[in-house]
Amino acid sequence: MPRKINFSSFSRELNVHKNQLSYNEMIPPVVYDEAGRELPHKPAALVISGNDIYRLLQPYLSVRFLDQFRAVTPLAIYLAAFQIFILRQPVMDSGIITGGLISVIIGLMLFMEGLKVGLMPFGEALGTSLPAKAGLATVLIVVFLLGIGVTFAEPAIGALQTAGSLVDVARAPYLYTLLTAWAGTLVLVVGIGVGLAAALGTIRFIYGWSLKPLIYLSLTPVLGLSCYMALDPELAKVLGLAFDCGAVTTGPVTVPLVLSLGIGIAHAAGKGSDSLSGFGIVTLASLFPIIAVMLLALYVSAQVSPAEIIEAAAIASAGTTGLAWFERTPGLEIIGGIRAIVPLVIFLLLVMVLLLREKVPNPGIIGFGILLCILGMIVFNLGLSYGLSKLGEQSGGLVPAAFTSIEAVDSSPLYVMSVGLFISLGFAWILGFGATLAEPALNALGMTVENLTNGSFRKSTLMYAVSLGVGFGISLGVAKIIFNIPIAWLVVPGYLLAIALTWFSNEEFVNIAWDSAGVTTGPVTVPLVLAMGLGFGNALGAIEGFGILSMASIGPIVAVLTTGLYIRWKLSRRDLQAAQQNLQSTKPEGI
């Protein structure tokens, strides 16, 4: 039984054994010069040992390191274990791949920290200040240019250039030239698509437009151009790249920067009270780049013929002996990292200083964050070249040995056709399901959705729906490569099904479902799946290995919309039963 005491007694007991220390004993003694003047105190330089530095940084770095370690390591272990135990093949260049994966982890750790400390404050400051100091036209121009800049800064965008070296120019000339000679223009038009999506998303934030009509209007040219290009045997080979470009854009740079800017503008304009107003811009940023790449392919086809592309590629390959240092690794990765971040920073700085006439808040901290972004991007690019892409290409190139004969595996096929196909498709399903379920962005989205829907759409339900959709989507993409299915036969029916489900779904579920596809394409998943698909295609002699990412984007949309309709039906059925029970309980006796 606790004993009650007065508060005054409690306070007195607290001070009984308290030791008091005079402030005069804590400061250094006063020193005077020969004239009796007091000399200013000069503190000695702070001496910190290596152990002290480790103890100060270890708790902080371990959390940041483990975040990326948990995203990369399970995928690498799964691929290596599958290759060793199921395919019975050793991992080639395991030391180089391990070093590359470590570089990916460290690079992402530095980049993500620099993004939070350096680039994100720019987006928030611009989103708050732009509407107050500039007209709507100026705001939209800034948002458009920012969309282009963040696309170049997206870590996974470098995987597209890496993929170009795996395409056979003789079999897919337009696809090859888009990924090599037109690679810079390709990234630019993808950025233009993101910029237009960001500008339209900002207008939608301000005026509170519904997402459904924008989806219908965006998908009309997507499906129309897809059907038109599918009729041309050469242009049809570009469709997989076009749809995959839509998945590459929604990464850790584009989404937070553009979204924070758009929501900041909406709040500044007094239109950001809707809790779901932040959803939708990721969807537009995925669809608009698809249209842009298709239009670029049509333009390229009007400029050069396949024969001219093949001839130019032969000449270029004959003269590749004396590449400059910045065209070879590691110079290529260093220049790429600088070129991705510095122009974006210069643009943000010019807008802040010249247009808004404001000082950069906390310039030292932001400068340090930008330095981390550049360093992280360089290290990540090196890891991408030596780790993720190499591992994905190797795994994808060996999986077909489960059901068919390939040169890389002497004893192939390792299993009978039916078992081998099941293993291959199961390998892709587990890769997609596991990688998505471990995605930190999906966990954050699930918590947000559960709060916004008052618990009717639980976080676990969303996470499993998205992961199942990605798993089946990647399996379907692999089946497209195995059976040489034209990509238009998959994406057109897939998007038509998504449109039908969108028509019958509530606005909130539409916002959630179409944006859920964006969280599945992180900086680790994209290059890994891209390289795996291209390696898979090369091993089977397929023309191209693109399209897996696009199916991984459609899958979660259909899965979440279907889940939303089921939840709505379940809630309406529960409400109907409750109403019937209330009606029964209120009936007078004897009736």
Side-chain angles (χ1 to χ4, degrees), residues 513-580:
W514 283 86
D515 270 10
S516 67
V519 303
T520 64
T521 51
V524 175
T525 310
V526 167
L528 192 63
V529 172
L530 263 180
M532 183 196 75
L534 293 169
F536 214 104
N538 285 338
L540 290 175
I543 295 174
E544 46 86 19
F546 290 101
I548 297 180
L549 285 175
S550 58
M551 299 312 303
S553 297
I554 299 175
I557 296 172
V558 174
V560 174
L561 285 174
T562 305
T563 305
L565 289 173
Y566 171 74
I567 290 174
R568 193 176 73 175
W569 172 80
K570 191 176 179 181
L571 290 175
S572 63
R573 183 183 178 189
R574 187 186 65 185
D575 293 340
L576 180 62
Q577 291 176 347
Q580 290 175 346

Side-chain angles (χ1 to χ4, degrees), residues 17 103 138 155 169 216 294 300 322 336-337 356 381 388 401 420 469 480 496 512 549 556 559 589:
H17 301 292
S103 296
T138 305
V169 62
Y216 303 147
M294 289 181 179
V300 171
L356 302 181
N381 285 341
L388 280 181
K480 170 251 178 192
L496 289 176
I512 294 166
L549 285 175
E589 294 184 3

Side-chain angles (χ1 to χ4, degrees), residues 5 10 16 24 55 66 71 122 138 161 180 185 223 244 265 273 297 338 378 391 393 418 422 436 523 540 549:
I5 62 172
F10 172 74
V16 166
N24 293 330
R55 291 174 60 191
L66 287 176
F122 264 126
T138 305
Q161 281 96 333
T180 53
T185 308
L223 298 180
D244 280 2
I265 292 171
S273 57
I338 296 173
I378 293 171
L391 179 62
E393 182 185 357
S418 58
F422 177 80
T436 306
L540 290 175
L549 285 175

